[in-house]
Amino acid sequence: RALLARPAGALRALRALAAGPEMHFGFQTVTEEERREKIYQVFESVAKKYDVMNDSMTLGIHRVWKDILVHKMNPSPGTLLLDVAGGTGDIAFRFINYVRSIRERQLQRKLKHHQNLSWQEIFESYQKDKFNSLGDSQVVVCDINREMLKVGKQKAQHLGYTEGLSWVLGNAEELPFDDDMFDVYTIAFGIRNVTRIDLALQEAYRVLKPGGRFLCLEFSHVSNPLLSRLYDLYSFQVIPVLGEVIAGDWKSYQYLVESIRRFPPQEELKAMIEDAGFFKVDYENLNFGIVAIHSGFKL
């Protein structure tokens, strides 16, 4: 019997090895393959209610955090941005708005310096620049989840974003882009959901041009003990209930809360970004560390 049992045990071991090492899915322990599949299912489930739930869970503050990220980026006309795990388009739309506002100010300054132009010349110059409102800037949104991309495309169509925007289905751990392509790489509230953070960081480094910038906005760890206890109470007692009431999905939002607690703290993530090859790595805590923006450069 023992001899007969060995092949079955060996087979189970081989299957576990093929599925990858054990990892966490929230507070559960799963294989790498299982984690990837479960996370895909979570975001497929929450895609249609993602924006509503973000507003409900953060009381709308996530909008401010994303604004701060884009202002920290400070893109100029001509910037090529890759926004990973950005399926709903929040960072992409902010990027386009930011670049358009810079182009508008540049145009106004240009016209002020040409006071001797005729009205016709001013009109023609304005119309010409108006049709190139992004100054050759481009943003590529890359997401592994088809449903999230679908929601983002619908939002873009509804809000009128067409110029300088493209959507790509792709995995953060194996990006479908050539080396040294992008000026900026952003990932907002996405990196804690990739299966292998180290691979995602290596890919970010690979696709950035020399001098390019990496920016990551993510939930992090609160240092204040009192605030941390209140934050835990809100996260575990309120957010899953909101998920059930608004999206009819308790489990997905329970996972999202648990995933935040299992995510590496600020200094640990900083070290991981440096290990991927980035220089001048630092981070800025927002709202006492509820979220943090990590930044690094490819030199």
Side-chain angles (χ1 to χ4, degrees):
R1 287 178 182 173
L3 288 171
L4 288 172
R6 279 176 191 168
L11 185 60
R12 281 195 297 271
L14 285 170
R15 282 174 179 166
L17 187 64
E22 288 189 339
M23 313 187 91
H24 64 81
F25 175 76
F27 293 159
Q28 300 176 44
T29 300
V30 296
T31 66
E32 185 175 317
E33 183 181 315
E34 287 171 337
R35 185 177 194 271
R36 185 175 284 112
E37 179 60 30
K38 283 178 177 290
I39 289 174
Y40 190 93
Q41 289 171 357
V42 164
F43 284 93
E44 191 171 50
S45 171
V46 305
K48 291 180 180 177
K49 296 287 186 178
Y50 189 74
D51 290 333
V52 176
M53 277 302 301
N54 275 347
D55 282 332
S56 301
M57 289 189 301
T58 70
L59 307 177
I61 300 172
H62 75 101
R63 298 174 182 270
V64 177
W65 295 333
K66 290 166 183 173
D67 288 341
I68 293 171
L69 177 71
V70 174
H71 278 269
K72 194 176 183 75
M73 184 198 314
N74 190 25
S76 56
T79 298
L80 184 57
L81 168 67
L82 173 63
D83 183 40
V84 174
T88 56
D90 280 2
I91 302 302
F93 303 153
R94 283 168 169 78
F95 170 82
I96 290 171
N97 291 342
Y98 194 94
V99 173
R100 279 178 177 169
S101 68
I102 291 175
R103 286 283 293 167
E104 183 67 25
R105 289 197 297 272
Q106 287 178 342
L107 177 57
Q108 289 175 358
R109 285 197 299 269
K110 176 183 172 183
L111 293 178
K112 282 180 181 177
H113 285 105
H114 293 84
Q115 297 290 342
N116 58 335
L117 293 178
S118 67
W119 174 86
Q120 185 64 31
E121 288 170 326
I122 291 173
F123 176 78
E124 289 174 356
S125 177
Y126 184 83
Q127 289 297 108
K128 179 183 175 183
D129 286 321
K130 183 180 177 183
F131 286 114
N132 189 20
S133 63
L134 291 178
D136 298 323
S137 290
Q138 295 278 332
V139 53
V140 178
V141 179
C142 181
D143 202 294
I144 197 172
N145 194 287
R146 292 182 186 276
E147 283 300 310
M148 295 290 279
L149 284 172
K150 182 179 175 182
V151 169
K153 289 176 182 178
Q154 289 171 347
K155 280 174 63 180
Q157 187 175 15
H158 176 71
L159 296 171
Y161 291 102
T162 54
E163 180 192 8
L165 176 62
S166 56
W167 307 84
V168 174
L169 184 71
N171 187 345
E173 300 165 45
E174 195 175 352
L175 293 170
F177 307 109
D178 292 336
D179 298 354
D180 307 329
M181 274 193 67
F182 298 94
D183 300 302
V184 184
Y185 172 113
T186 53
I187 183 165
F189 303 118
I191 201 164
R192 78 180 189 281
N193 296 308
V194 302
T195 307
R196 291 277 305 277
I197 294 175
D198 57 335
L199 294 182
L201 292 172
Q202 289 168 24
E203 281 292 272
Y205 187 88
R206 180 184 67 79
V207 301
L208 279 170
K209 297 175 183 176
R213 190 175 192 184
F214 168 86
L215 285 166
C216 170
L217 171 65
E218 188 53 86
F219 287 107
S220 202
H221 290 250
V222 178
S223 56
N224 183 288
L226 176 60
L227 182 59
S228 181
R229 284 196 292 273
L230 292 171
Y231 181 44
D232 280 348
L233 184 67
Y234 174 76
S235 297
F236 288 101
Q237 300 300 320
V238 177
I239 289 178
V241 175
L242 287 174
E244 180 63 31
V245 171
I246 296 173
D249 190 342
W250 177 293
K251 287 184 178 179
S252 292
Y253 288 94
Q254 180 73 25
Y255 156 72
L256 292 173
V257 171
E258 292 175 0
S259 70
I260 294 168
R261 298 307 181 274
R262 296 300 298 265
F263 189 68
Q266 290 89 325
E267 285 293 331
E268 190 177 330
L269 181 59
K270 178 184 176 183
M272 293 176 74
I273 296 168
E274 289 171 337
D275 287 344
F278 289 98
F279 289 87
K280 290 182 65 67
V281 178
D282 62 13
Y283 60 86
E284 177 185 356
N285 284 327
L286 305 178
N287 294 93
F288 303 98
I290 290 176
V291 299
I293 297 176
H294 280 76
S295 170
F297 292 86
K298 177 178 177 177
L299 300 179

